[in-house]
Amino acid sequence: MSIFKQIWNGEIYPAENCVPKTEEYKQAAHELSEASVALENALTEEQRELLHSYQIANAIAATLVQQEIFKESFKLGVKFQKEIDDKDCLPSNE
């Protein structure tokens, strides 16, 4: 099956493959989770609602940035392939 069909059918989801599997990332995610819980526990209900609104807006903005990065990366990959196919990337024998 072509890669385009796999992406279309949801068989390939690049965002799932871009989560670091390093111990450093796992530790940072754990610390973020703990800090989030501690912060929410220290807030009033109104402050928690404001924080939740902030988190949603931040997640949407981050998603839009990641989509743009994916799009630009894909276009760069196509340019790489075109250059390879055109053999413009090889040094001349002069």
Side-chain angles (χ1 to χ4, degrees):
M1 179 181 289
S2 80
I3 192 163
F4 293 109
K5 286 182 182 178
Q6 288 177 310
I7 291 172
W8 177 259
N9 292 329
E11 296 171 18
I12 298 175
Y13 184 62
E16 288 179 345
N17 299 326
C18 294
V19 176
K21 294 173 177 48
T22 64
E23 199 55 44
E24 180 181 31
Y25 176 78
K26 289 177 187 175
Q27 180 65 30
H30 177 72
E31 290 173 10
L32 179 61
S33 177
E34 284 186 341
S36 178
V37 169
L39 177 60
E40 285 195 36
N41 289 337
L43 299 176
T44 66
E45 184 60 35
E46 182 181 353
Q47 291 170 327
R48 274 194 289 278
E49 289 174 15
L50 287 171
L51 176 61
H52 185 67
S53 295
Y54 166 81
Q55 290 170 325
I56 290 171
N58 187 48
I60 291 169
T63 298
L64 293 171
V65 168
Q66 293 301 318
Q67 288 173 347
E68 193 65 23
I69 290 169
F70 176 78
K71 182 176 77 172
E72 291 303 312
S73 299
F74 188 85
K75 289 184 340 187
L76 184 59
V78 170
K79 288 179 184 179
F80 276 128
Q81 187 62 52
K82 183 178 180 335
E83 191 170 308
I84 290 168
D85 291 345
D86 293 345
K87 298 184 178 37
D88 286 343
C89 62
L90 300 175
S92 65
N93 291 334
E94 298 175 8

